[in-house]
Amino acid sequence: MTLDLSFLEVSLRPAGIVERPVNVYDILREGWRETRVDMTLQFFLDPTERHGLGTLVIDALLRLLDGAPSIGLNGRTSKHLIAQDAEGSDAWEVATQVDFIDVFASNRDSGIALVLENKIGHVLDNPLRKYAEYARNKGFDTVIVAVLAPEARDHPDPVQKNYLSSAITYAELSAEIKSAPELVEFLMSPGDRDQRRSLELLQQFIEARHGKTEMTDLEDQAQRLDEWRDVLEEHRGAITAFEEARSSIGRLIRDRRKRLEPLITDRLEALALETGWQAHGGGKEETWNAYHFPAADWSVELKFSADPTRPMIFVYDRRGLTYKDSTIEPLGLTWTNTDERIADAFIERVVHILGEVKAGTRLPAGGHETV
């Protein structure tokens, strides 16, 4: 394969660094008391507030909590939050200091209640079980209890720890907010004075909590965008050829994945291995046949990859329908093996994995990933 790859040698300027500006949270003597932060969070999490940013911040929080276990009477349950079910909803009601809960966000339409414990400089010693009971008594089907702090926090009490769905950091929340496409649209064309002021306040909040100076620098972005357009114009033919070659590799691995799908199905049925969910798809560099086994609450995928950082053929397994406690292991076969041999090897690996899950020996505490 001969391709003109000269466009890969182009040097693009990095994003500019902006000096830290005046910040209201630096000026206020008690600007970082937890109650002040709670009120700021309430303002931005509520899609009906005057900030004019809609569900931008609450959706970012939901995406961070995607897959977190719902809390039941005895702690964590097998039910998990599906963020997509509630994203974009303006039915959220958000309040602070509700029965000592820092921030309580509830959505009757989705049946979801978010209990958010905000920790700035204090130990996480709160009665999380009591907080969860409050939300359950309000009739919500899905109750998520999360702690938001400068660093990941865990509860020292193992009983209370069982009532914690997820621990997230301000850095993670900031990154998720800044990655939202609608943020750029708001910044490029603020709708009114309230939205302009709210964007500035959100920037100051992120900056003071995470140390980042800008959500985005539009002048710097404009220069980088012009550079990129020049590169595309100069190397259009080479880039087009590269993308066509890349797409052909994607088709190659997808075609084989499709051929293996019925072979794997036949073998699963022969072993009476019931699957409650399946996914077959992929992108330009990776494709997969994924299966969830409800009896073990475990998912196993056969993947093909053109990414040199991954094995060419590998098995990816994880707990339930989440991406937690995941393991990546080469299947141990090359591309030249027959479809039947690959399908047999994958089923052997599935049986082995499910056996370890049943025996409780699949993963050490916290999960692992091996390649």
Side-chain angles (χ1 to χ4, degrees):
M1 181 182 296
T2 302
L3 292 172
D4 176 8
L5 301 178
S6 59
F7 66 91
L8 297 178
E9 300 175 3
V10 173
S11 178
L12 296 174
R13 62 191 298 272
I17 299 175
V18 182
E19 183 179 354
R20 183 182 176 97
V22 172
N23 187 295
V24 66
Y25 291 98
D26 293 338
I27 297 171
L28 296 175
R29 184 172 59 182
E30 296 183 342
W32 284 117
R33 288 177 62 90
E34 286 186 359
T35 53
R36 306 294 188 269
V37 178
D38 292 345
M39 288 186 285
T40 305
L41 288 169
Q42 177 193 11
F43 176 71
F44 283 114
L45 288 171
D46 189 341
T48 65
E49 270 285 5
R50 293 171 57 194
H51 50 64
L53 305 179
T55 62
L56 172 71
V57 177
I58 189 72
D59 284 353
L61 178 62
L62 286 169
R63 289 192 295 272
L64 280 181
L65 296 174
D66 187 40
S70 180
I71 302 300
L73 181 64
N74 298 313
R76 298 175 185 173
T77 69
S78 59
K79 183 179 182 180
H80 295 82
L81 174 68
I82 302 175
Q84 190 175 4
D85 289 351
E87 282 189 69
S89 172
D90 60 1
W92 289 97
E93 296 181 6
V94 187
T96 62
Q97 296 304 311
V98 179
D99 200 32
F100 299 102
I101 297 171
D102 287 342
V103 181
F104 185 70
S106 58
N107 190 315
R108 290 289 178 186
D109 290 355
S110 302
I112 298 172
L114 302 180
V115 173
L116 190 62
E117 178 60 29
N118 172 42
K119 306 303 292 187
I120 301 301
H122 300 90
V123 175
L124 178 62
D125 55 3
N126 306 75
L128 302 182
R129 180 175 185 172
K130 178 183 176 182
Y131 296 168
E133 287 177 356
Y134 173 86
R136 289 200 311 275
N137 290 338
K138 293 295 181 179
F140 290 98
D141 298 328
T142 303
V143 175
I144 302 298
V145 180
V147 58
L148 174 65
E151 66 286 324
R153 298 281 185 89
D154 215 341
H155 206 293
D157 182 350
V159 174
Q160 293 293 331
K161 181 178 179 179
N162 187 41
Y163 288 83
L164 179 62
S165 304
S166 181
I168 58 178
T169 68
Y170 274 97
E172 291 171 331
L173 181 59
S174 299
E176 195 64 40
I177 291 172
K178 290 189 289 184
S179 68
E182 59 266 38
L183 177 61
V184 176
E185 297 178 12
F186 291 142
L187 289 164
M188 292 288 287
S189 182
D192 55 26
R193 182 174 64 177
D194 282 341
Q195 193 178 75
R196 286 194 298 271
R197 288 187 171 184
S198 297
L199 285 166
E200 176 61 28
L201 180 61
L202 179 60
Q203 167 56 43
Q204 293 187 44
F205 182 71
I206 289 175
E207 174 190 317
R209 283 291 347 123
H210 186 40
K212 298 298 184 182
T213 57
E214 288 293 339
M215 286 188 289
T216 183
D217 184 329
L218 297 183
E219 290 186 7
D220 179 69
Q221 285 188 350
Q223 293 180 31
R224 297 178 70 212
L225 180 59
D226 285 339
E227 282 189 6
W228 185 249
R229 288 167 61 90
D230 290 341
V231 169
L232 292 180
E233 182 62 30
E234 181 179 354
H235 299 278
R236 186 175 303 277
I239 293 173
T240 298
F242 176 83
E243 288 295 337
E244 288 176 351
R246 184 185 180 196
S247 295
S248 71
I249 292 298
R251 288 193 297 272
L252 184 150
I253 60 176
R254 287 196 302 275
D255 287 348
R256 189 152 205 197
R257 182 260 300 168
K258 291 178 181 178
R259 296 202 308 268
L260 280 159
E261 185 178 338
L263 299 180
I264 293 172
T265 297
D266 289 345
R267 286 157 173 77
L268 291 174
E269 290 177 352
L271 293 175
L273 289 174
E274 180 184 351
T275 58
W277 165 87
Q278 297 184 24
H280 310 278
K284 293 181 179 179
E285 260 78 43
E286 204 161 275
T287 186
W288 56 80
N289 286 317
Y291 307 88
H292 175 248
F293 300 90
D297 191 27
W298 209 264
S299 296
V300 189
E301 302 182 26
L302 175 64
K303 288 196 171 190
F304 296 111
S305 180
D307 185 343
T309 65
R310 298 285 205 190
M312 187 177 295
I313 309 174
F314 65 96
V315 176
Y316 172 51
D317 69 279
R318 61 190 189 275
R319 184 176 300 281
L321 293 173
T322 72
Y323 293 93
K324 297 179 179 179
D325 296 338
S326 61
T327 304
I328 291 177
E329 297 174 311
L331 185 61
L333 298 179
T334 64
W335 188 263
T336 55
N337 285 101
T338 64
D339 293 346
E340 288 74 13
R341 178 70 187 97
I342 292 175
D344 287 339
F346 174 63
I347 295 300
E348 290 173 7
R349 192 68 195 142
V350 167
V351 171
H352 177 78
I353 289 170
L354 297 182
E356 288 190 339
V357 171
K358 183 177 180 179
T361 60
R362 179 60 188 151
L363 292 170
H368 70 293
E369 179 175 291
T370 60
V371 175

